[in-house]
Amino acid sequence: MGFPAKDAELKPVGSNFSTTLAADPTVYQQTAAVATAVAAAVGSYVDALDALTEARANGVRSEQMTATKNQARDEMLNLLRPIYSFVQDSTTISDTAKIALG
């Protein structure tokens, strides 16, 4: 499994990943600094997605807002994917913890 391609599905997955990691990064053999960076990246993506969604609901089509959302999404995924792979490959992280992370 990986991360969903659709923004509507990726937003809750990213938010859960961030919240779960921030609750106790040591469970996932990560540092507080990594959890903070993940929270910032996810927050930027969610904010950009929410702004774009609101603009579209108001009839505004903005290539700049779409580009901002896409950039935030790429930055978030570039940060999450190596952590996800590390956790999935780890034999010391419990299955329960892996499931909680997503």
Side-chain angles (χ1 to χ4, degrees):
M1 190 193 137
F3 292 98
K6 294 182 179 183
D7 289 321
E9 297 170 3
L10 180 58
K11 179 181 172 182
V13 169
S15 295
N16 177 69
F17 193 101
S18 175
T19 301
T20 304
L21 182 63
D24 192 355
T26 59
V27 168
Y28 302 99
Q29 300 174 9
Q30 303 296 314
T31 64
V34 169
T36 300
V38 167
V42 171
S44 293
Y45 167 69
V46 168
D47 290 346
L49 178 60
D50 288 347
L52 180 61
T53 302
E54 182 178 340
R56 286 185 177 165
N58 292 324
V60 176
R61 298 284 182 194
S62 172
E63 288 183 32
Q64 184 178 9
M65 290 179 81
T66 301
T68 299
K69 185 267 303 176
N70 289 342
Q71 181 179 357
R73 175 190 170 104
D74 290 345
E75 289 171 2
M76 177 188 72
L77 289 173
N78 287 338
L79 188 59
L80 297 185
R81 283 181 176 137
I83 298 168
Y84 178 86
S85 293
F86 173 80
V87 169
Q88 289 305 104
D89 291 343
S90 175
T91 57
T92 59
I93 298 172
S94 72
D95 288 341
T96 303
K98 290 177 182 182
I99 291 167
L101 192 61

